[in-house]
Amino acid sequence: MNKTTTTTSGLAPSKKASRGNAGSAGQYPPAPPWHSLPAEDVLSRLTTRTDGLSSAEAANRLKQGGRNEIARHKAVSPWQLLLKQFTNFFVIVLLFAAALAFAVSYLPNESERRLTAFFILGIIVISVMLGFFEEYRAQKELEALDRLLVFRTVVTRDGSQHQIDAAEVVPGDILDLSQGQKVPADARVIQAFSLRTDESALTGESVGADKAPEPVAPDADLAERTSMVYGSTYVTHGKGLAVAVATGMTTEVGQIASTLQHMEERPTPFQVEVQKMARQMTLIVGILAIAIAFILLFLLHESLIDVALNTLSLAVATIPESLPIVLVFALALGAHQMATRHAVVRRLAVVESLGSVDTICTDKTGTLTQNVMTLQRVYVGGQVLPAAQVHASDHTTAEVLRAGILCNEAIFDATDHQIVGDPVDTAMVRAAQSAGLNVEQERTSHPEVHVIPFSSERKMMTTVHQQGSQRVAYAKGAPGVILGCCTAVSDGTQAQPLDEAHRNAVQAAINQLQADGMYVLGLASRALPGELPADDIEHGMTFLGLQALIDPPKPEAAQTIALAQGAGIRMIMITGDNSRTAQAVAKDLGIGQHAIEARELENLSRTELASSMKKTDIVARATPLIKQQVLQALQDDGHFVAMTGDGVNDATALKQSDVGVAMGLRGTDIAKESAAMVLLDDSVTSIVAAVEEGRRIFDNIRKFTNYLLSTSLGEVFVVLALSLAGFFPLSAKMLLWVNVVTDLVPASALAADPAVPHVMKRRPRRHNEPILNKAIYWTIAGSIFRTLIAYSLLFWVGLQFGGVEYARTMLFTGIVLHAFTRVMVVRQLDDLSIWSNKTLLIAYAVAVGLQLLALYTPLAQVFGVVSLDWRAWAVMIPVVAVSSIWGVYMTRWILKLVPMWQ
């Protein structure tokens, strides 16, 4: 396709956009059928030009029209979040209990009930504030993560190209579109070079849509508007220019989004498991509470009011209603920690999934290596020259360098005065500059008129340039592919037929350079006889030479890979490079040397491919299709796979993988959108760090779940046992107080527990392994058993010391002391030091302090407790200590019989 350009002149003064809401920038009213207008008319109506708006014009339009953003679900305000807490079922139950106590207080001789009502209201306030605080923190963590993933795009302003935040695009901006880019706004095409977009998310058409500047009929369907590109779609092929006509909520996608504001996300399997567990606990506690109610009413002959208040309080105090809140907080906290280690998750559920990763399929360039290409050697005129001896004064060398900078997509960013683009392209530009070639002058004197873009299938790129009255094509790509397009070779003075001897010499140079671990590119040119079809341009070319670049491994990569391998994680390198280069890098990093070329895998059955991948360490010359097939083979073999990707064609593999990992620096927008996690530094170290963080978070989820369930069930069983013995051991106020002091705060502190030293020295957990496995069920059962003995002993001793009130007070205090020692026992699952979580220690100190206030201040009258003398403490402290030590040894014994990670 020939290059098509439109220009305008004598534009009218800038019109002002109608003011819209922030985040929903508008289009200029009235909205004409942009697709049916000639490009010149579009530019005129938008009061813009092909060299772009001025910075002042863009700033004014942004101020008037608002940012180019699709409105998300409106963030819940703090007030709404606070009111939401009162819709919690358990808060409603407590409100009912408070209302009941308050109403009964007006009956004769029942005025003391009013104090109970106020106390329950106080507990409600504390519970609501704790829940609000945890949810608010989690919401803020997620908002902070969103701000890390900034979508940037290239626009022309003030006559030069600039990279800007896509949210700052305004109507009239000239968009520079290239392969892999996400289109930032609805735009009218004004230039196209084999431009094609993926509009499947918008139109449902799975086939790419070819684009051209020519207008179409006004009544053309959306899918037939070939002169338009639409926001949130992707450029899958070619490049072009387009002028933005609609932004924000006035784009086609924005209008759809406005109808989806109230849709809710489906819960993940992990969330379903937690909800199921909470329902089961509610059922168990509900049945036990009903049993206790019958005992109180018919065995102990308590009043109906006392039975209702005590039973409701028991249910509220023992059902772990804070579990979902703490879960969200733990995942959000984990996501935040991952972000500090340069890995941003796009869905919270990924945090938990990362702990199951047992195979990482990683790219080489930029992930394992530094992604800082530098020219090392040039093969020209039959000889290999080191970079220091490469000079543009030599005609043949200059032609090799010229091919490298013309067939090149790197740009000069006028804002940052930097070369922006692919590392290979920028390295070739820097090398040409160092050799004495004036890059800007060469590009100006050889304007680009056509491009055949690079693709992973073709493994080459070709551009056509005007050179005086003649057109010249320059190509670069995989050396074998470039050689296949050539019929002649430049020997330093003139072109010679590319015979077998020349081919062998070039191939020998390629083999040697690749064996040295270098990235080798072939370059060729052709003087075109006239207008040619695109398919004919890349035939009959003249081979110019080779540029050999090197991208050294990242200093920390070898240590990271050793850490991953020690954690039972298999590392597989999947690269587009040849096997020699890949093996050289893999050897330095400690990855196995068993390499296989992608073409050897193409005709294998799924069973054969799965068998082959059992022993393969490197897949070289990989195409996106092979990458996807390798992933499927690994998953068929039962592996939980994290797959990295950065290109347009990686999107399918990223979506299909268990944890898709996109590159934040060099990744295309479509790859980032398809991935579950984005690396801010494109480093394998960040992947392994995220896996470590995922393991830590899952460990902590297990710990606080274990803690909440064991303490809750321990309380309800001791109440049941002592009720059967003829005593109701805890009043409603005591039960609610214990719930506040020992529930949400310590569980949240457990969610922030550090990683255990051996977290990366054990094998990955099975991805379908439940939160509560056999080992934890047994530890919970053991905890209930020893808790029942300890609490019953305290109550019995209290009866001997001072009667029922004294016994209640001892049990009331013993539960608070024992709950926090239970935390320490739970942490024995991971052999963590008592001093490793200062937040937990502070929570314990505050709880004990509050309990002392309840015992030795006027609050004692509120709770109906008595002051405990030294005898009680002399019994409680040893009993709690012995019970805790017993719990430690019991836990270790259970773990020996039923290993945690079996």
Side-chain angles (χ1 to χ4, degrees):
M1 180 184 297
N2 290 330
K3 176 178 177 180
T4 305
T5 308
T6 59
T7 60
T8 60
S9 60
L11 296 176
S14 178
K15 297 178 184 177
K16 291 188 176 181
S18 61
R19 178 176 288 275
N21 296 327
S24 57
Q27 57 191 168
Y28 294 93
W34 300 110
H35 55 278
S36 67
L37 297 178
E40 294 88 349
D41 288 357
V42 174
L43 291 168
S44 178
R45 288 183 183 232
L46 291 172
T47 325
T48 188
R49 48 208 166 272
T50 54
D51 60 355
L53 300 169
S54 68
S55 297
E57 286 175 318
N60 184 51
R61 296 186 186 196
L62 182 64
K63 181 179 179 181
Q64 293 188 8
R67 289 172 66 81
N68 175 34
E69 294 174 333
I70 301 297
R72 303 185 180 185
H73 289 288
K74 189 176 180 181
V76 180
S77 71
W79 282 110
Q80 290 173 313
L81 203 59
L82 182 62
L83 291 174
K84 176 189 171 187
Q85 308 304 314
F86 289 95
T87 64
N88 183 291
F89 172 73
F90 302 103
V91 171
I92 294 173
V93 170
L94 284 180
L95 285 171
F96 173 75
L100 180 63
F102 197 74
V104 172
S105 70
Y106 288 97
L107 297 177
N109 302 320
E110 296 288 350
S111 58
E112 73 279 1
R113 302 282 186 190
R114 203 165 301 161
L115 183 60
T116 300
F118 286 125
F119 178 80
I120 294 175
L121 289 175
I123 294 296
I124 290 172
V125 170
I126 294 173
S127 297
V128 164
M129 293 309 296
L130 287 173
F132 165 77
F133 177 71
E134 294 296 347
E135 287 202 54
Y136 184 73
R137 281 185 66 185
Q139 179 176 296
K140 288 300 178 185
E141 294 286 4
L142 294 179
E143 289 175 1
L145 291 180
D146 281 342
R147 290 193 292 271
L148 291 176
L149 294 178
V150 179
F151 166 29
R152 297 183 70 79
T153 193
V154 177
V155 301
T156 300
R157 288 182 183 172
D158 300 311
S160 59
Q161 292 179 315
H162 300 263
Q163 268 197 334
I164 65 170
D165 183 344
E168 296 175 1
V169 170
V170 297
D173 262 329
I174 304 300
L175 309 179
D176 190 330
L177 305 175
S178 58
Q179 183 180 10
Q181 179 187 341
K182 181 178 181 180
V183 180
D186 288 2
R188 174 68 165 81
V189 177
I190 58 176
Q191 241 180 51
F193 298 97
S194 305
L195 186 64
R196 185 179 304 139
T197 62
D198 175 5
E199 298 179 349
S200 57
L202 188 62
T203 65
E205 295 284 346
S206 58
V207 179
D210 291 318
K211 300 297 178 179
E214 290 75 25
V216 296
D219 59 351
D221 291 335
L222 187 69
E224 297 172 354
R225 296 176 188 174
T226 55
S227 60
M228 294 288 295
V229 290
Y230 294 100
S232 297
T233 63
Y234 294 90
V235 179
T236 58
H237 194 268
K239 57 193 292 188
L241 295 178
V243 56
V245 298
T247 56
M249 293 301 289
T250 58
T251 62
E252 293 292 338
V253 170
Q255 293 175 36
I256 294 171
S258 65
T259 67
L260 305 177
Q261 294 297 313
H262 304 292
M263 290 186 65
E264 296 183 0
E265 292 186 7
R266 295 176 60 186
T268 66
F270 184 67
Q271 292 169 326
V272 169
E273 181 187 354
V274 172
Q275 292 167 358
K276 178 182 178 183
M277 188 166 51
R279 287 195 299 270
Q280 290 172 341
M281 270 295 297
T282 302
L283 179 62
I284 292 171
V285 172
I287 293 172
L288 293 175
I290 292 172
I292 291 171
F294 275 96
I295 293 170
L296 292 178
L297 190 62
F298 298 110
L299 184 61
L300 302 183
H301 305 294
E302 297 278 350
S303 69
L304 191 59
I305 298 300
D306 282 331
V307 170
L309 289 175
N310 290 331
T311 304
L312 289 174
S313 299
L314 175 66
V316 169
T318 53
I319 292 173
E321 73 277 7
S322 61
L323 184 58
I325 296 174
V326 180
L327 173 66
V328 172
F329 172 70
L331 294 177
L333 190 64
H336 172 75
Q337 291 297 327
M338 287 180 186
T340 63
R341 302 177 78 173
H342 309 293
V344 178
V345 297
R346 301 183 66 247
R347 298 186 298 274
L348 272 187
V350 176
V351 176
E352 171 268 333
S353 299
L354 279 161
S356 297
V357 169
D358 61 20
T359 304
I360 297 176
C361 295
T362 175
D363 293 328
K364 176 182 69 67
T365 303
T367 309
L368 298 174
T369 60
Q370 296 180 27
N371 201 27
V372 181
M373 289 283 191
T374 55
L375 183 71
Q376 295 294 301
R377 298 173 200 166
V378 171
Y379 174 83
V380 61
Q383 58 181 331
V384 176
L385 301 176
Q389 297 179 19
V390 175
H391 301 290
S393 56
D394 178 77
H395 171 76
T396 309
T397 303
E399 191 65 12
V400 174
L401 296 172
R402 183 175 294 111
I405 63 172
L406 294 180
C407 187
N408 191 305
E409 293 183 307
I411 63 171
F412 288 94
D413 191 326
T415 303
D416 300 328
H417 303 289
Q418 292 182 343
I419 304 170
V420 179
D422 178 84
V424 173
D425 284 347
T426 56
M428 297 173 86
V429 171
R430 286 196 303 269
Q433 288 176 326
S434 299
L437 210 61
N438 188 319
V439 176
E440 284 295 306
Q441 182 178 323
E442 290 291 337
R443 288 185 169 180
T444 302
S445 60
H446 297 77
E448 181 183 288
V449 295
H450 184 62
V451 61
I452 304 175
F454 173 87
S455 73
S456 53
E457 291 82 12
R458 287 174 9 92
K459 297 188 182 300
M460 67 178 293
M461 170 187 178
T462 301
T463 55
V464 178
H465 300 264
Q466 192 72 40
Q467 186 173 325
S469 60
Q470 189 179 32
R471 289 189 174 186
V472 179
Y474 289 98
K476 71 174 181 187
V481 175
I482 294 295
L483 269 177
C485 297
C486 296
T487 57
V489 59
S490 176
D491 65 357
T493 56
Q494 59 183 352
Q496 301 286 339
L498 184 60
D499 56 22
E500 196 65 27
H502 282 111
R503 286 185 183 276
N504 291 339
V506 173
Q507 190 60 54
I510 294 170
N511 293 343
Q512 183 57 54
L513 293 170
Q514 290 178 342
D516 291 341
M518 296 188 189
Y519 181 83
V520 184
L521 280 173
L523 297 114
S525 68
R526 180 187 180 189
L528 301 179
E531 293 287 340
L532 289 178
D535 293 343
D536 293 341
I537 292 174
E538 296 174 334
H539 297 293
M541 304 192 87
T542 298
F543 184 79
L544 300 176
L546 304 170
Q547 290 195 30
L549 304 98
I550 193 165
D551 182 15
K554 293 183 176 179
E556 72 280 5
Q559 183 180 354
T560 299
I561 288 169
L563 177 65
Q565 291 169 339
I569 299 172
R570 181 184 175 199
M571 302 295 297
I572 299 176
M573 181 193 294
I574 303 181
T575 177
D577 274 350
N578 64 85
S579 57
R580 293 189 191 90
T581 302
Q583 284 175 314
V585 174
K587 184 177 181 180
D588 291 340
L589 297 177
I591 296 176
Q593 292 291 290
H594 191 280
I596 190 167
E597 296 274 348
R599 54 186 167 76
E600 300 175 47
L601 302 176
E602 289 176 348
N603 298 319
L604 298 182
S605 66
R606 287 180 64 163
T607 304
E608 291 171 334
L609 182 57
S611 176
S612 176
M613 287 309 302
K614 288 180 184 293
K615 56 183 183 294
T616 299
D617 304 303
I618 302 166
V619 179
R621 294 298 186 201
T623 63
L625 179 58
I626 287 295
K627 198 171 186 178
Q628 188 177 347
Q629 290 173 348
V630 166
L631 170 64
Q632 185 64 59
L634 291 168
Q635 290 176 324
D636 288 347
D637 202 30
H639 293 288
F640 199 81
V641 185
M643 170 74 76
T644 67
D646 58 7
V648 174
N649 293 325
D650 288 331
T652 304
L654 288 172
K655 277 186 174 292
Q656 181 182 327
S657 63
D658 299 294
V659 179
V661 182
M663 303 297 109
L665 296 179
R666 71 179 191 276
T668 57
D669 298 318
I670 189 170
K672 294 175 188 176
E673 291 286 340
S674 302
M677 184 170 74
V678 178
L679 302 184
L680 300 181
D681 60 357
D682 291 7
S683 174
V684 69
T685 300
S686 298
I687 304 175
V688 176
V691 170
E692 179 181 355
E693 195 64 33
R695 291 188 178 192
R696 181 185 76 86
I697 290 301
F698 189 81
D699 286 352
N700 291 348
I701 288 171
R702 274 190 159 165
K703 277 185 284 191
F704 68 66
T705 302
N706 184 343
Y707 167 75
L708 287 173
L709 297 188
S710 58
T711 53
S712 296
L713 289 173
E715 290 169 22
V716 74
F717 272 105
V718 77
V719 170
L720 177 62
L722 292 176
S723 297
L724 288 171
F727 305 97
F728 188 73
L730 298 171
S731 67
K733 293 177 231 178
M734 292 177 180
L735 288 167
L736 295 174
W737 177 258
V738 166
N739 180 55
V740 168
V741 171
T742 67
D743 196 347
L744 186 58
V745 174
S748 298
L750 273 176
D753 244 1
V756 298
H758 60 271
V759 70
M760 292 299 283
K761 294 180 181 178
R762 67 182 186 222
R763 65 162 185 78
R765 66 178 178 83
R766 298 188 306 275
H767 66 274
N768 56 353
E769 184 175 336
I771 297 174
L772 301 182
N773 58 15
K774 290 181 181 179
I776 294 181
Y777 275 123
W778 278 106
T779 59
I780 290 175
S783 173
I784 294 172
F785 175 69
R786 65 181 179 78
T787 297
L788 192 57
I789 294 175
Y791 290 170
S792 298
L793 178 60
L794 290 178
F795 194 83
W796 180 81
V797 171
L799 288 175
Q800 311 309 310
F801 284 171
V804 174
E805 285 191 358
Y806 201 91
R808 278 184 172 181
T809 306
M810 281 188 67
L811 178 60
F812 177 44
T813 305
I815 287 176
V816 173
L817 297 177
H818 195 271
F820 281 86
T821 59
R822 173 62 188 157
V823 171
M824 303 307 169
V825 174
V826 166
R827 298 176 85 235
Q828 282 298 311
L829 299 175
D830 293 324
D831 296 324
L832 285 172
S833 163
I834 190 175
W835 309 109
S836 61
N837 190 334
K838 293 180 180 178
T839 305
L840 198 57
L841 295 176
I842 293 171
Y844 194 8
V846 170
V848 171
L850 291 173
Q851 187 65 20
L852 292 175
L853 288 176
L855 294 179
Y856 300 110
T857 68
L859 284 176
Q861 296 180 4
V862 175
F863 290 102
V865 297
V866 297
S867 295
L868 298 176
D869 56 26
W870 66 270
R871 296 175 303 161
W873 291 101
V875 172
M876 286 189 300
I877 292 176
V879 168
V880 169
V882 170
S883 175
S884 298
I885 294 171
W886 181 17
V888 169
Y889 282 101
M890 179 185 289
T891 298
R892 291 178 177 174
W893 178 70
I894 290 172
L895 292 180
K896 285 182 180 179
L897 294 178
V898 189
M900 174 68 74
W901 304 99
Q902 53 186 349

